[in-house]
Amino acid sequence: MRKIRKPAPDRNAKKPNKNARPAKGRAAYRHPFAYVPRQPNPYEKILWDYEEYERAICAEVLAVGNGLKTEQDFAGVMGKYSSLFSPKNVKYTRHLADCLFGRALIERHDRAAWSLLEGLIARKLAKAADDLGTAQSRGQVHCAGRNVPYYDVAPRLAADRDPERRERLWKAYLGFVEDKLNPLAIEHNRLLLRTMNRQGFVNERDFAEKRKKISLAELFEKLSPVLAATEEPYMEAMREYVRKRLRLRFPGMSRAHEAYFLGLREFDRLFPARRLLPVCLETFHGLGLELETQDNLRIDAANRPGKDSRAFCVGINPPEEVHLSIKPRGGLEDYASFLHEAGHAWHYALTSESLTYEMRAMPRSNALTEVYSFLFEYLVQNERWLTTVAGLAPDQAASVAERLNLADLYLLRRFIGKLEYEIEFSKQPLDNWHNAFAYRQILSARTGTAYDDVHYLLDMDEDLYTADYLRAWLAEAQLREKLVRDFGPDWFRSPAAGEFLKGLWAKGESWDNEDLVRHIGAEPWDPSALLRRFIGSPT
């Protein structure tokens, strides 16, 4: 075999200077100890891209919700990050969750996999969601010779004392929903089911149960005793109030009057808009929370046209940047709404920075953060808070608390009914006639109000949020009893209670709702505390 020999060296060639730097045009000289930035691995790159996407989508939510733009463009945002929400990335992240060892690592990657899958599904639905969202933000309901913006219908129904005008506006609103929104909602629902099937899920319920690790049927079973135990006192109290105060029949009251009943307009004079921020700030001061100096928490209280009448909170990479938006109109509902969203805001703003991104910004559900929102919102039902902080007389406080308790029981029964309907809906998601009939029958029976079948799709919360609310209802009652036991009935004026809550909020989204309940020594989904709140001794 012929050997390959190296050419002989040129003895006359100039020896290279080992200390010389490369000539111009060649690779730059690098000191042997120079710092070279580490390139992120594929998973880190996914998290960085996801954080950028979250910032972009939150900016869109804020712009539309705050009335700074009227055309929702989630599709445009999703289009910029189409490579992030790819089947390849979902498969890769799922593979990491399946092959790694250790509970913490598995949980982190599992959450990331579900978040990417949710984004992939949202990307497929973005155009349909934009069409529906834009139709709502631009929508005009024609009634009595004038146009009412879609988002202003609910506030007007809540404020109008004339039942006949409420009925006229409600009928016009139903016509708008039927003609303009339902065709878009039907198309969105059809596309959602097809997308879920292509990703290997039976329907949205199947997806939500696997991601949240819960059973909707089991949750409904746990809440059924609440329906049974509250049925008689609820119907009796509603019958007396609706017939005497609203001059309407019950059961069978039109849903045109639901917003007015829940708005508690008879107490508006006790809760002027000018006192909203002072009262809420005093509440936080009592717990040792200083909203004014919380740099990462920003409040938008401007009353601009086109702004969503509902208060909302957006956390961007908690705890880095938190936005709290409200459109003050005055009235008890404003106070309750602001306190509710403040619960979200404090949870996000005081999340520990030491947590990994997945445990700060990729929750399995929103049930945990709703616990803290309910905790603050329900202060408006606390007679001691109403007298010591809101400044009401004892008899006024008693009237407000009693009336709010009835309104909240209405909402609780409504949401249990919504859960029951969503379970029924999941059996035949595309049978519009059957689902419209089931919606009307179930919700009317649970609330005593005559529900219209027109809302059988629009009244369904995305990602089955109904279950998150109900889990939060159960857990909040347990947490409140814990605060009363440990810090007294005036726990909302105890800095020690504030420190306790800060410790919970620092956990961010690393806990599920049920982890919080176990931490305070209670049993998840135990309805006893919730029942004590409505038909037992108040805490």
Side-chain angles (χ1 to χ4, degrees), residues 25 46 51 84 104 108 112 156 176-177 219 258 281 289 307 315 347 392 395 405 446 449 455 473 494:
I46 286 173
E51 182 182 336
L84 170 63
R108 286 175 54 193
R156 293 198 183 197
F176 174 82
V177 171
L219 179 60
E258 180 186 68
L281 289 177
L289 303 172
K307 187 176 182 181
H347 177 208
L392 272 61
D395 59 330
N405 195 61
R446 297 310 180 199
T449 299
H455 285 95
W473 243 304
S494 167

Side-chain angles (χ1 to χ4, degrees), residues 205-257:
R205 174 188 173 183
D206 184 32
F207 174 86
E209 288 185 326
K210 288 177 178 176
R211 179 181 183 176
K212 299 177 183 183
K213 295 185 175 181
I214 63 171
S215 164
L216 297 189
E218 184 180 344
L219 179 60
F220 179 71
E221 182 182 350
K222 293 287 187 180
L223 288 162
S224 294
V226 177
L227 284 175
T230 59
E231 177 83 17
E232 186 175 342
Y234 167 77
M235 288 296 181
E236 182 179 345
M238 283 292 291
R239 186 180 298 111
E240 180 180 0
Y241 180 85
V242 172
R243 290 183 178 181
K244 286 185 177 181
R245 299 297 300 272
L246 302 185
R247 304 291 183 181
L248 299 168
R249 64 189 180 97
F250 190 89
M253 174 183 73
S254 165
R255 202 180 172 202
H257 314 290

Side-chain angles (χ1 to χ4, degrees), residues 344-456:
H344 288 307
W346 283 118
H347 177 208
Y348 299 148
L350 297 181
T351 291
S352 173
E353 294 180 346
S354 64
L355 293 173
T356 62
Y357 182 78
E358 302 94 328
M359 296 305 180
R360 291 185 285 110
M362 289 181 165
R364 286 191 174 277
S365 75
N366 289 295
L368 178 66
T369 190
E370 291 297 346
V371 175
Y372 305 130
S373 292
F374 284 166
L375 181 68
F376 279 109
E377 178 185 351
Y378 294 155
L379 285 174
V380 296
Q381 299 180 27
N382 187 312
E383 291 186 41
R384 302 178 76 94
W385 181 87
L386 289 167
T387 54
T388 59
V389 180
L392 272 61
D395 59 330
Q396 294 172 330
S399 297
V400 170
E402 180 183 8
R403 178 71 175 77
L404 270 170
N405 195 61
L406 178 59
D408 198 48
L409 183 54
Y410 176 96
L411 287 173
L412 175 62
R413 292 180 60 87
R414 164 175 149 74
F415 272 81
I416 297 176
K418 283 183 65 173
L419 177 65
E420 184 179 2
Y421 164 66
E422 287 169 356
I423 293 173
E424 182 65 24
F425 178 91
S426 67
K427 299 174 183 176
Q428 304 177 68
L430 298 182
D431 191 335
N432 297 323
W433 185 91
H434 169 81
N435 292 328
F437 177 80
Y439 173 78
R440 183 177 69 248
Q441 292 295 108
I442 293 173
L443 272 295
S444 297
R446 297 310 180 199
T447 64
T449 299
Y451 268 64
D452 306 276
D453 55 16
V454 172
H455 285 95
Y456 75 103

Side-chain angles (χ1 to χ4, degrees), residues 478 482 485 514-524:
Q478 295 168 312
K482 162 78 172 175
R485 281 196 308 269
E514 291 71 26
D515 296 320
L516 166 66
V517 174
R518 294 188 188 96
H519 177 75
I520 63 175
E523 181 68 26

